[in-house]
Amino acid sequence: MSQQPLGKALVGVFNRVFQAADATILCGGAAEPYYEPGEPSIIYFRDDFDRSALHEVAHWCVAGSVRRGLPDYGYWYAPDGRNAEEQSAFYSVEVKPQAIEALFCEALDLAFAVRVDNLTVDANCPEIIDFKAAVDRQIMRFRQRGLPDRARRFKAALTLLAVERPG
């Protein structure tokens, strides 16, 4: 399968599936990812990076109605260089979104690796190994029990996109 950037195709697929049904659109080219509630709500992803788009959509897919009414879902974000407590909090809110992102990547035949968003963390430290294992367990739960509705609908649309892509 071709590995050309998908940014515009992802925007088109997302907006076709969710703009009318959920009053939400996906928009690439942002300097930083961000979710803005409104009419419509807008999910911004970084530059035109495919993985950024998939990751931000995954966060939207797990956010409940209250969180979808808050800028950036009401989450805090600490930049690179988090302390151990902040990094642990990051891991706890990232398991489900990253598991969903992995399944989105799978639908498109894109490589997936967990992200820790912290360059000061050693890639082989026990916390990252535990985080990877937690994401893998969540992927298995989603395979057994099914994805949340919005994630299921988007993954189905991505699967169709993958079939349509020239490769």
Side-chain angles (χ1 to χ4, degrees), residues 12-150:
V13 167
F14 182 91
N15 293 350
R16 185 172 57 246
V17 174
F18 297 109
Q19 185 171 5
D22 293 88
T24 303
I25 61 172
L26 182 62
C27 184
E32 291 295 327
Y34 188 74
Y35 171 76
E36 183 179 313
E39 295 294 327
S41 296
I42 305 170
I43 303 168
Y44 293 98
F45 66 96
R46 188 163 153 67
D47 296 321
D48 283 316
F49 298 141
D50 304 338
R51 288 278 313 278
S52 176
L54 298 175
H55 184 77
E56 297 312 313
V57 169
H59 272 289
W60 179 77
C61 288
V62 299
S65 60
V66 171
R67 286 215 178 259
R68 289 191 316 273
L70 302 171
D72 228 10
Y73 313 108
Y75 288 127
W76 59 270
Y77 182 77
D80 196 33
R82 293 181 203 109
N83 64 35
E85 184 178 318
E86 291 169 332
Q87 192 64 34
S88 179
F90 171 86
Y91 293 144
S92 70
V93 299
E94 283 288 322
V95 171
K96 284 184 180 180
Q98 290 203 29
I100 290 171
E101 178 188 355
L103 294 169
F104 291 165
C105 285
E106 180 181 274
L108 292 167
D109 196 25
L110 295 176
F112 173 81
V114 296
R115 295 184 212 196
V116 298
D117 282 359
N118 191 342
L119 298 174
T120 64
V121 175
D122 177 6
N124 296 313
C125 76
E127 292 83 7
I128 292 180
I129 293 167
D130 292 346
F131 177 58
K132 288 177 185 175
V135 170
D136 287 341
R137 285 189 302 274
Q138 185 61 56
I139 290 168
M140 293 307 297
R141 279 193 287 281
F142 283 141
R143 288 188 197 285
Q144 293 167 348
R145 300 177 188 157
L147 285 164
D149 179 63
R150 291 186 309 275

